Amino acid sequence: MTKNVTVQKIIGILLHRMKFIILSAIVMGLLFFMYSKFIVAPMYSTSSMIYVQNYNASKNGVGVNEENQKMYSSDINASSSLANICVILFKNSDEMTSLYDGCNVDVQVTDGTFFITFSVNGTDPQKCANIANQLAEEAQNVFSNRFAYGKIGVIRQAQVPVAPYSPNNMKNTGLGLIIGLVAACIISILLELIDSTIKADDDIQEMYGISVFAEIPDFENQG
């Protein structure tokens, strides 16, 4: 016979197995923490930045003023377009890609500007910083070999990251606690549903519709 499942009954089951649920959540949280701390390789990230300028963007004195080194909007727009072209060039240049050395590299230009960022992710922080700086230096050589105009230079060199950005041990531990808590609640409910043993008078009346008129006490356990 199947048991009737109500919200009140489910709450009673969970309260009855509270120790099991809490213990399961703690164990799962510890497992996730140990996996995150000792098994997953930490990932580090750093970046370098360069600028690209197009001094041939305009004529008749409109553009860069050589006297006060000011830039006008026409030159900024042309430099931004040149920076986007350079990003495509750098991503497909053998000289640049040969420096990746197993690290994840992302080359992006800041929208509306002529600033290009080389972001490097990997398991070795020193290696990531070296590659990011090498890419910034090699970009100047690639630019000079491909373009007969414009200017390129380094704005920011990459620093060695002091802490990994991944994995997040606290986040993984919390995820383990939640998974353990949910799994323990589901298991507790399923065990109760498939358990056909009679534990209380109400079980007989609920399962078979028979009222209990008398009960034989367990003298051995009571005494």
Side-chain angles (χ1 to χ4, degrees):
M1 300 289 294
T2 58
K3 297 182 179 180
N4 295 327
V5 180
T6 62
V7 175
Q8 183 178 2
K9 189 174 185 63
I10 290 176
I11 295 175
I13 294 172
L14 297 180
L15 292 176
H16 178 69
R17 296 179 178 268
M18 185 58 63
K19 292 183 179 180
F20 166 73
I21 294 173
I22 295 176
L23 181 61
S24 299
I26 294 175
V27 171
M28 189 63 70
L30 289 175
L31 290 176
F32 270 64
F33 173 78
M34 294 176 63
Y35 176 79
S36 176
K37 182 71 174 179
F38 301 108
I39 298 179
V40 178
M43 295 294 294
Y44 297 87
S45 178
T46 188
S47 63
S48 60
M49 179 179 286
I50 64 174
Y51 68 90
V52 176
Q53 292 180 346
N54 184 345
Y55 287 101
N56 294 345
S58 57
K59 298 180 181 179
N60 299 326
V62 180
V64 177
N65 188 326
E66 294 293 340
E67 294 180 1
N68 53 26
Q69 297 298 314
K70 290 183 178 179
M71 295 185 63
Y72 295 93
S73 59
S74 59
D75 189 78
I76 293 177
N77 292 333
S79 296
S80 178
S81 299
L82 179 60
N84 283 281
I85 295 174
C86 288
V87 167
I88 299 175
L89 173 63
F90 296 155
K91 287 182 177 180
N92 295 276
S93 171
D94 292 336
E95 297 94 328
M96 302 286 290
T97 56
S98 63
L99 298 175
Y100 289 3
D101 195 18
C103 292
N104 297 322
V105 178
D106 185 30
V107 185
Q108 295 290 339
V109 60
T110 305
D111 292 338
T113 72
F114 45 83
F115 302 119
I116 299 175
T117 302
F118 297 98
S119 300
V120 182
N121 302 327
T123 57
D124 187 338
Q126 183 65 58
K127 182 179 179 181
C128 290
N130 293 339
I131 291 176
N133 290 326
Q134 291 172 9
L135 289 172
E137 294 176 3
E138 186 61 30
Q140 300 178 70
N141 298 328
V142 174
F143 181 89
S144 300
N145 293 334
R146 300 298 193 282
F147 299 97
Y149 62 95
K151 182 180 180 182
I152 186 172
V154 178
I155 296 179
R156 182 188 72 241
Q157 290 189 331
Q159 303 296 322
V160 179
V162 296
Y165 72 89
S166 175
N168 189 325
N169 295 329
M170 294 300 297
K171 180 179 179 180
N172 291 336
T173 302
L175 180 61
L177 289 171
I178 294 174
I179 293 176
L181 183 65
V182 173
C185 290
I186 294 175
I187 292 173
S188 298
I189 296 172
L190 291 177
L191 288 176
E192 184 66 23
L193 291 178
I194 64 177
D195 187 4
S196 60
T197 59
I198 298 174
K199 300 182 177 62
D201 300 345
D202 295 338
D203 291 344
I204 298 178
Q205 186 170 359
E206 179 182 344
M207 296 173 63
Y208 302 101
I210 301 175
S211 300
V212 177
F213 297 100
E215 180 181 355
I216 301 175
D218 190 347
F219 296 103
E220 182 177 352
N221 292 331
Q222 291 180 359

